[in-house]
Amino acid sequence: MQVYADNAATTKISKHALQAMIPCFETYYGNPSSLHTVGQEAKEVLDKARETVAKCLGCEAREIYFTSGGSEADNQAIRSAAFYGAKKGKKHIISTAFEHHAVLHTLNVLEKEGFEVTLLDVKEGHNITAQQVKDAIREDTCLVTCMYANNEIGSVLPIAEIGAVCKEAGVPFHTDAVQAAGHIAIDVKAQNIDMLSLSGHKFHGPKGVGALYVRRGIPLKNLIDGGAQERGKRAGTENLPAIVGMAAALEDACNNLEENTKKVTALRDKLIAGLEKIPHCALNGDRVNRLPNNVSFCFEGIEGESLLLYLDAQGISASSGSACTSGSLDPSHVLLAIGRVHDVAHGSLRLSLSHDNTEEEIDYILQAVPQVVALLRNMSPVWRDLQNGEREYIL
Ligand SMILES: *Cc1c(COP(=O)(O)O)cnc(C)c1O
C-alpha cells in the first residue's frame, strides 16, 4: 500500500486546479500587461483569480499581491514592515519561537541590521496566548508576526485575539497562514489581520506560487524591482497558470472546508488515539487548537530518520521534525521550542493528512508504526539503557 502522509510538506495538485491551468498555456498565454486583445484576455483571467483569492480571505481583490510562494510573501511582509518601522524609529519586532524558517531567518537578518526581535515562548500548551503578545508590545514595536498554524506540530494560534491586541496597540499584524489557508476558515477583516501569507502547494494547488494579503492603508515595499506588475509592488510577468491553479484550489478548499475538516479530523483523531498506545511517546502540539490534518509525536529511544526510512520501505511517506536538512544533526527548532530535550526531539514523526487519505490507510499506518518503533527500539543502545534502568525515561 502507498500512503502519502506528508501534506504539510506539499500536496498533490487537484484535478480541478490542474485543469484550470491548461487554458492559461493554450489560450490565455498573453502577457497581462500587453494592450492587445490576447494580453487583455489574460488580464481578465488574472483579475478573476485575484477576486477568487480575495473572496476566500474576506478582503478586496486589490489587497492581494501574487508572489512566488509562502517564503517570498513572508519575506516581503516582514521586510516591508521593518522598513516603514525604521523610518519612524521603531525597530522592535515580536514573533514566536516556532515560526517557519522563512520568518525566523528573515528576522535573523533584520537583527543583524539593528532590529530587536522578541520571540515568544511556546512551551506552555505548545502555543502562545494573546496576553503574551500584549505584554511584549512596546512603544517601538513595528510588527507582530505570528504564524496562523504551526507546520510541524499543528498548533493553531489565537489569531483573532492577537489581531485585536495589535489593533488596540496600533501595531501592524502579519500572519504566516501557509498551513491554515484552505484548511481553516479565515476572515482577515473579522480577525484584524493586516498582512497574511499563503502558498498554493499547501492546499492542492501548484508549487512556486503564493499570495500576500495587505490591508488597504498598510504601506508595502517591494522586494523585487522592475515592471509595474501587482500595483508596482512585485515586478515580473505574472505566473498566470500557477496563479489560476492556486485560485481554483483555494476556492475548492473553501467551498468544501466543512466537509473536508470533518473527514480529516476523524482520521487524525483515530491516528492520534492509536499511536498514543505506544509506550513512552508524547503528542507534540496543542491538543485542542490543532490543525485538522496534523499528527506529531516523539517516541523515546529511537531516531526519527530511521523511523522514516522504515516507514518509506512500507510505502508510507511521512516526515520527521529532526530532518537534518543542512547535514547538521540539530533537531527541529520547533520541538526544542516546545521543550523537548535533544534525545526526545530526535525521535519525532509527523504525519500530515489530506481529504484524499482513507480509513484503510490510517489502519495501515497504525499497524506499521508500532512495529517499526518496536523494531528500532530493539536495536537501540539508548533503549537498552532505559530498559536496564541505566537511564531515566523522560516520556
Ligand atoms: C511551506 C511553508 C512555508 C513556505 O512556503 P513556500 O511556498 O514553500 O515558500 C512558509 N511557512 C509555512 C508555515 C509553511 O508551512
Side-chain angles (χ1 to χ4, degrees):
M1 193 182 243
Q2 288 294 322
V3 184
Y4 185 74
D6 200 13
N7 287 279
T10 197
T11 57
K12 179 178 172 180
I13 193 166
S14 72
K15 284 207 172 65
H16 180 214
L18 184 59
Q19 250 142 32
M21 292 171 75
I22 293 170
C24 300
F25 295 106
E26 293 179 341
T27 311
Y28 306 111
Y29 52 82
N31 187 323
S33 301
S34 298
L35 293 179
H36 48 64
T37 308
V38 178
Q40 288 308 295
E41 282 174 356
K43 169 96 172 35
E44 268 176 43
V45 173
L46 175 66
D47 290 345
K48 212 168 141 245
R50 198 183 306 280
E51 271 163 33
T52 302
V53 172
K55 206 172 139 215
C56 291
L57 299 178
C59 66
E60 294 169 36
R62 60 178 162 168
E63 295 175 309
I64 297 294
Y65 301 86
F66 291 119
T67 67
S68 68
S71 300
E72 185 188 328
D74 284 341
N75 270 261
Q76 186 168 10
I78 294 167
R79 284 167 187 276
S80 176
F83 175 82
Y84 288 106
K87 277 193 156 183
K88 293 190 210 154
K90 297 184 173 192
K91 297 187 82 173
H92 176 237
I93 300 173
I94 298 167
S95 190
T96 76
F98 65 1
E99 294 295 312
H100 190 271
H101 281 144
V103 168
L104 282 184
H105 288 173
T106 304
L107 294 176
N108 288 343
V109 174
L110 288 171
E111 271 183 318
K112 291 197 183 98
E113 293 172 11
F115 285 83
E116 198 184 322
V117 176
T118 300
L119 295 182
L120 301 175
D121 191 285
V122 293
K123 284 191 191 76
E124 186 76 40
H126 300 178
N127 208 334
I128 62 158
T129 61
Q131 187 63 42
Q132 280 176 277
V133 176
K134 193 169 180 174
D135 293 343
I137 291 178
R138 311 190 315 211
E139 277 294 302
D140 62 342
T141 304
C142 63
L143 173 70
V144 170
T145 175
C146 295
M147 67 199 324
Y148 202 121
N150 185 276
N151 48 301
E152 285 187 35
I153 60 172
S155 299
V156 176
L157 282 67
I159 292 302
E161 287 88 332
I162 298 169
V165 162
C166 293
K167 188 184 179 189
E168 206 197 318
V171 177
F173 172 40
H174 166 255
T175 183
D176 172 347
V178 173
Q179 289 293 331
H183 300 272
I184 297 176
I186 295 175
D187 184 336
V188 290
K189 299 283 136 118
Q191 294 172 303
N192 287 304
I193 298 167
D194 295 313
M195 294 190 276
L196 176 145
S197 308
L198 58 82
S199 172
H201 74 103
K202 302 289 176 79
F203 48 78
H204 304 276
K207 295 169 187 39
V209 65
L212 176 61
Y213 149 78
V214 182
R215 180 192 293 277
R216 199 150 44 90
I218 299 280
L220 182 66
K221 188 171 157 41
N222 42 351
L223 211 57
I224 299 175
D225 294 308
Q229 292 90 353
E230 301 300 301
R231 306 174 73 227
K233 301 301 182 189
R234 204 284 183 176
T237 302
E238 300 85 349
N239 185 353
L240 193 61
I243 289 168
V244 167
M246 173 171 72
L250 187 60
E251 188 174 36
D252 281 351
C254 293
N255 288 341
N256 303 316
L257 195 72
E258 230 172 285
E259 190 187 325
N260 287 345
T261 302
K262 210 172 139 200
K263 180 183 173 190
V264 178
T265 304
L267 296 178
R268 176 198 72 184
D269 290 345
K270 178 171 178 170
L271 198 45
I272 290 177
L275 294 178
E276 270 183 327
K277 291 187 190 141
I278 297 174
H280 303 287
C281 76
L283 180 71
N284 300 313
D286 191 320
R287 192 178 282 270
V288 179
N289 299 306
R290 187 175 192 92
L291 280 172
N293 69 341
N294 177 285
V295 176
S296 170
F297 274 93
C298 282
F299 300 104
E300 197 161 7
I302 63 167
E303 288 290 336
E305 283 80 6
S306 318
L307 181 54
L308 283 196
L309 294 177
Y310 275 84
L311 289 178
D312 188 40
Q314 299 202 34
I316 299 169
S317 307
S319 160
S320 166
S322 60
C324 19
T325 33
S326 55
S328 86
L329 280 170
D330 287 343
S332 140
H333 70 282
V334 174
L335 297 175
L336 295 180
I338 61 169
R340 299 284 182 233
V341 297
H342 272 64
D343 280 357
V344 167
H346 272 304
S348 63
L349 175 69
R350 177 187 73 186
L351 297 154
S352 44
L353 309 174
S354 92
H355 52 84
D356 290 336
N357 288 117
T358 63
E359 193 150 356
E360 291 70 48
E361 291 177 346
I362 302 302
D363 288 335
Y364 183 71
I365 297 173
L366 282 176
Q367 180 212 317
V369 175
Q371 275 177 16
V372 175
V373 169
L375 180 93
L376 293 172
R377 281 177 171 170
N378 269 335
M379 303 191 288
S380 156
V382 173
W383 185 251
R384 198 186 47 220
D385 289 352
L386 288 166
Q387 296 261 289
N388 291 342
E390 280 165 43
R391 218 186 239 258
E392 276 191 35
Y393 289 106
I394 296 163
L395 301 182

